[in-house]
Amino acid sequence: MSHPRPLTPEEKPAEEKLADAKRRLSLPRIVVICGSTRFMAEMAEADLRETTAGRIVVKPGCDLKSPHELWSDPADAEALKVRLDALHRAKIRLADEVLVVGDYIGESTRSEIAYARSLGKPVRFTHPEVDPNNPPPAAALAT
């Protein structure tokens, strides 16, 4: 997983143009779902709930951990993972906010959260206790 790269000063005007275009088009809020692909069922449920709340939802479109002919070759799978990671960062740039699904955050999701926050995107969690910016209560540390 490549590490997040904040927008350069040259890219910021494009981001502002995108936000302005979305406002002019009166688009509903766009939510990108992030999380481990082990939570694909939970992502589908979150998609349903966000959609019925009137939001446009984008989320991971495939689970490389599940067998499929498109990524059955390890070399193809690795190249696809790189492309999918870049695609998901584009989804984060497109979105107005991020919804992190699941009670576990791995390296990829942690990187996506950091990227979203570097862009100033609000980040919500289905399980707020896993927020990397939300340290556990002192009582939990004492155990």
Side-chain angles (χ1 to χ4, degrees), residues 71-143:
W71 51 84
S72 60
D73 177 85
D76 291 344
E78 188 55 38
L80 179 59
K81 170 127 177 57
V82 170
R83 290 194 315 272
L84 292 175
D85 287 345
L87 179 63
H88 202 68
R89 284 190 302 276
K91 292 175 183 181
I92 292 169
R93 288 191 305 275
L94 173 68
D96 299 305
E97 64 181 306
V98 172
L99 175 60
V100 180
V101 172
D103 61 0
Y104 162 82
I105 294 185
E107 179 184 335
S108 292
T109 303
R110 189 175 307 275
S111 179
E112 292 165 359
I113 293 166
Y115 184 61
R117 287 181 166 154
S118 79
L119 300 174
K121 307 283 181 176
V123 180
R124 293 185 285 132
F125 292 81
T126 60
H127 294 76
E129 68 274 11
V130 299
D131 182 349
N133 285 5
N134 187 14
L141 295 175
T143 58

Side-chain angles (χ1 to χ4, degrees), residues 25-57:
L25 292 169
S26 300
L27 292 179
R29 281 187 74 73
I30 301 172
V31 177
V32 62
I33 294 177
C34 295
S36 171
T37 55
R38 71 174 74 169
F39 300 117
M40 291 299 273
E42 291 87 343
M43 288 181 190
E45 179 67 20
D47 184 348
L48 173 71
R49 291 182 182 279
E50 293 295 313
T51 298
T52 59
R55 297 178 190 100
I56 296 171
V57 179

